[in-house]
Amino acid sequence: MTRASLPLDPILLESFVTVAQCRSFTVASSRLGLSQSTVSQHIRRLEHRLGRILFVRDTHSVLLTEDGNAMVRLATAVLESNTRLMSHFNGVARRVRLRLGISEDFAMSRLAGVLTRFREAEPFADVELTVGLSEQLYQAYNSGDLDVIFAKRKNGDDRGTIAWRGRLIWIASSSFAWNGEGAIPLVLYSPPSMTRTIAIESLDRAGLSWRVGCSSGSLSGLRAALAARLGVAAFAECLIPDGLSALDRRFNLPALPDTEFVALGPGKSNPIANRMIQTLLSETGRLMTGG
C-alpha cells in the first residue's frame, strides 16, 4: 500500500473539522482539550498527506481554501460514519434480551403499561414476548424457554411472588339467556388451561351438567364467543374484558375459588429479569387500586 492510499487518521480529521467550525486555532484547541501547537501540527500533517493547503491564516483570521471547503464536507462525513459505527457496536454489546411470558388474561388489560415502564427503566433490553395460557407458560419456563412469566399460580407450585389474589367469577354477555334447564353452555380456553379445569370441576362438584359451547386458545376467541352468547366463562373479576359482565346470581352457578397471579423469574442472578418482575408487581398494584 502506497503512502497516498493509507487511510487518514481520524484524529487529524477531527482537529481539522473543529478548526473549520471555530475559525480559530485557539478556540478549537480549547474545545478539543489539546494544546494549540498540537492542533497546528495536526493540520500541517493533514495538509502534507493531502498535498493541499486547507487554511489561509494570518494573525487575525483563519479562512478555508477551496480545497478546505471540500474537505470539510468529506471529513465530516467520515467522522459521522465512524461515530455511527462505534455507537452501533457499543449499543449491540450493551443490549440484552429478556424472554417474557404473559398470561392471556393480563395481556389485554395491562401489558402495554408494563412494557412502557420497563423500556423506560431498561432502554437497552429487548423483549421477546410470549402471550399464552398459564399452563403453557409454566411449561415453557420449566423447560428454560422463558426467563420471566406472569401467570395464574399453578396448583401445588409455591414458586414466584404473588402479584394479587382475587376472585374468579362467571361472566357472559349482558344479553346471555339460559333458563336453567339442560346443560349450561361453557366458553372455555383450550386445554391445558387452569381456568378451564377450575370451571369444570366447580360445576361437577355442584352436580350441574355442562357442555362446551365454544373453546379457543386465545382471549380474543373467548371474547367473540361470549359476545355471541355462546355460553358463560370463568374469569378473574378484576380483568373482565370490555363488553362483558358478571353473570347474574339468578343463574345460580356455583361460586368459584380465588386465584393467584404470580411473577416468576430466575432470582437475583438476573437483574434485568428482576426489573421486569418489579415492573409487573407495580403495574398489578395499580390495577388493584384502580390506578
Side-chain angles (χ1 to χ4, degrees), residues 13-240:
L13 297 180
E14 185 175 10
S15 290
F16 165 73
V17 170
T18 305
V19 173
Q21 292 171 341
C22 298
R23 292 294 199 272
S24 165
F25 279 80
T26 302
V27 176
S29 62
S30 177
R31 182 180 295 182
L32 292 167
L34 301 172
S35 67
Q36 186 170 333
S37 61
T38 298
V39 174
S40 296
Q41 185 181 46
H42 288 172
I43 300 305
R44 285 195 298 271
R45 287 171 57 191
L46 183 60
E47 289 179 328
H48 177 69
R49 280 292 315 278
L50 296 172
R52 304 292 177 92
I53 299 299
L54 302 176
F55 292 108
V56 175
R57 43 195 181 270
D58 57 32
T59 56
H60 303 291
S61 63
V62 176
L63 301 175
L64 286 163
T65 64
E66 184 177 346
D67 288 326
N69 277 310
M71 187 62 183
V72 168
R73 296 191 299 274
L74 297 171
T76 300
V78 171
L79 292 173
E80 288 177 348
S81 295
N82 188 60
T83 299
R84 288 195 298 271
L85 184 150
M86 295 305 297
S87 296
H88 171 79
F89 286 104
N90 287 339
V92 168
R94 295 177 61 187
R95 301 206 74 82
V96 294
R97 180 183 63 148
L98 178 74
R99 300 170 301 169
L100 173 65
I102 294 288
S103 166
E104 278 268 3
D105 305 338
F106 186 77
M108 295 293 287
S109 60
R110 289 283 170 154
L111 180 56
V114 169
L115 296 178
T116 297
R117 288 178 173 82
F118 180 73
R119 182 200 61 200
E120 292 169 351
E122 299 290 346
F124 292 101
D126 298 319
V127 177
E128 184 179 303
L129 179 63
T130 299
V131 176
L133 304 182
S134 294
E135 189 73 40
Q136 297 167 339
L137 298 179
Y138 268 97
Q139 292 174 2
Y141 180 81
N142 290 335
S143 64
D145 294 327
L146 292 174
D147 301 311
V148 172
I149 62 171
F150 185 82
K152 297 184 187 76
R153 184 185 289 284
K154 190 174 182 180
N155 188 33
D157 193 326
D158 61 358
R159 294 176 296 171
T161 302
I162 297 175
W164 89 78
R165 182 185 290 107
R167 291 173 47 193
L168 284 178
I169 62 171
W170 297 103
I171 67 170
S173 166
S174 59
S175 58
F176 172 75
W178 180 60
N179 60 12
E181 297 180 0
I184 179 74
L186 300 180
V187 175
L188 301 170
Y189 278 121
S190 303
S193 163
M194 296 180 192
T195 306
R196 178 191 179 103
T197 300
I198 290 171
I200 291 173
E201 289 180 349
S202 296
L203 291 172
D204 286 344
R205 282 194 298 270
L208 296 177
S209 61
W210 54 271
R211 63 181 175 83
V212 179
C214 181
S215 64
S216 173
S218 71
L219 179 57
S220 57
L222 259 65
R223 291 179 66 177
L226 289 166
R229 298 172 293 175
L230 298 185
V232 303
F235 218 83
E237 185 177 27
C238 59
L239 294 175
I240 298 175

